[in-house]
Amino acid sequence: MNALSTYLADSTTMLRRNGVRMRRYPMIWFIAGIPIVLLLLFVYVFGGTLGAGLGGVAAGRAEYIAYVVPGILLITIAGAAQGTAIAVAMDMAEGIVSRFRTMPISRASVVTGHVLASAAQTMLAVAIVVAVAIAVGFRPTTGPAQWAAAIGLVLLMTLALTWVSVALGLVSKSVETASNLPMPLMLLPFFGSGFVPTASMPEPLRWIAEVQPATPMIEALRGLLLGTPSGSSGPVAVAWCVAITLAGYLWTQRLYEREPAPR
Amino acid sequence: MTALAAAPARAIRAVGLRKAYGKLVVLDGIDLVVAAGTVFALLGPNGAGKTTTVNILSTLISADGGQVEVAGHDLEREPGAVRAAIGVTGQFSAVDALLSAEENLRLMADLRHLGRHEGPRRVAELLEQFDLVEAARKPVQTFSGGMRRRLDLAMTLVGDPRIIFLDEPTAGLDPRSRRVMWGIIRDLVARGVTIFLTTQYLEEADRLANRIAVLDGGRIVAEGTPDELKRLVPGGHVRLAFADAAALDRAAREFDGAARDDEALTLQVPSDGGLGSLRRLLDRLDGAAIKVNGLSVQTPDLDDVFLSLTSADSDRKVAAR
Ligand SMILES: Nc1ncnc2c1ncn2[C@@H]1O[C@H](COP(=O)(O)OP(=O)(O)O)[C@@H](O)[C@H]1O
Ligand SMILES: [Mg+2]
């Protein structure tokens, strides 16, 4: 077998292993639960007022649901990243990873297996959150092509954040650190256009909100799902995703090659 | 058995192996040679650097210096080829606790690319061989220490490695599980596998190993067959017990230089413990008409070797503090 087919075969095996682990130690309800609570909170508690603040002729709760869902989806992905970092940190403390290091397997497959399994888990969480959003009145207005593009963009965002969260899991010396490090990711949509338009923010914050990656991602999703004008945010969001994925990939490979910590 | 035919006569060769953690020098230039198809025991007290040595030889961590060849491959240049030839059962359990025994073994079979038919066949065979059939579907979390160890070793064997590293394979096991593990190791050797074993138990090294190296203070302080090592330490003697001080006095006069214990009324006469010398000893006692109450033969064991080789050094360490 050549290097590539070994990598693919071993990554598939690792993916299967992580899949079983996720079923035995499920985090999916925890991962989907937090954004669902946030969604309900923002729609039913703040939605009326925030919706009115969006402006427009008859803006209200229904309009706010449409507005807030893309940001909630990004929070879902970021929250899942926390679960990923925890799972990776827990796994690295297990002796079996030392065993993998002394086996003739593709080195990158250990990390790739985590990324693929976590990405699948994240997409599942996103699907659950979207289902709840639709149940409370979210009505995407665009056609199947835009839906497909939106799913593609969510997948890219998921891969980007998953690589980073795997790296955060690897760099953490304890499970606690691993659960804290990805926290700031969850906050990004709040300091972007996730819940209110950036135009409503004071000047320095507004500038930050507009350049940080969460905003183009959310704007691009909004454009795809609701047909709002999204300008250049689509390509910018994709560029961010690719850059973050690449950085996360390189970082994880370096971290995994580090000598294992003493036990 | 092409793998066996191609195996070099020397399974492992290390020259000038060095490793330090900061200021702590763990391995201060050690040389090791392990012949293919033999059991080599690295013996040493806690913290001597046994695990560090295994970790280096099994590609888990890198050495600071020295040259190592495992299965004929240079450790630095061809770690992949080394990994393909070895199997490692570390000091700490290396099983996936969330999986069942069978799933753990399947994982190994998949990573060894055994294929759809060979994989399950090998897994079933190992479950049988390691007495894990009944527990095959149970989560490893519920396993006893002995079962975990057996699974750990079974996982190591999935790919039929020709060289196996066992880091304290029986530490923490009850005597029965320990004997089971010894049996498994002997079976492996009978099939031509090379075993590199570390242990703190002298008895274990004595029973299993063809050669033993004693690691202490970052160096190999003694190396040889168990018998060679025992010969390093004089200390064999016959212990004679007497009914009264008068008999002891007369015996002490007869065997000049023997150590006497007036309280226990015993005399320790140096001896190799062989039948011939024992007979001569009894003849001499008879000749002098000394009545002996009891007699026991003491041969030096590895404990004596170990203590005499390592205790001086630990005294030095204590003094240095
Ligand atoms: N990663 C590490 N960092 C610092 N010190 C270490 C590390 N690994 C081992 N040591 C130290 O090296 C020494 C040898 O350890 P080890 O090889 O585990 O000994 P043994 O297996 O013979 O008990 C010990 O003093 C241990 O504390
Ligand atoms: Mg050890």
Side-chain angles (χ1 to χ4, degrees), chain A residues 1 5-7 9-14 16-25 90-91 93-107 109-110 257-260 262-263, chain B residues 19 21 55 58-63 80 82-100 103-104 106-108 110-113 139 151-153 155-157:
Chain A
M1 286 222 270
S5 64
T6 308
Y7 172 66
D10 292 348
S11 297
T12 310
T13 303
M14 293 298 181
R16 211 178 309 133
R17 162 177 182 258
N18 286 305
V20 175
R21 286 176 63 85
M22 281 174 179
R23 282 206 302 279
R24 302 272 152 87
Y25 196 87
M90 275 170 59
D91 197 30
E94 288 229 28
I96 193 148
V97 173
S98 304
R99 182 187 283 283
F100 292 152
R101 287 174 192 270
T102 63
M103 289 178 68
I105 61 178
S106 158
R107 306 275 287 175
S109 68
V110 177
E257 283 304 323
R258 267 194 333 194
E259 301 222 326
R263 291 196 292 149
Chain B
K19 179 79 182 177
Y21 289 109
N55 286 350
S58 63
T59 77
L60 191 59
I61 65 174
S62 56
V82 171
R83 288 183 189 126
I86 64 170
V88 187
T89 298
Q91 184 173 357
F92 303 101
S93 163
V95 302
D96 189 325
L98 291 187
L99 304 187
S100 69
E103 286 165 340
N104 267 295
R106 271 308 297 274
L107 175 65
M108 293 299 116
D110 291 344
L111 290 175
R112 290 277 185 172
H113 311 126
L151 174 61
D152 220 323
L153 185 51
M155 287 168 72
T156 301
L157 299 185

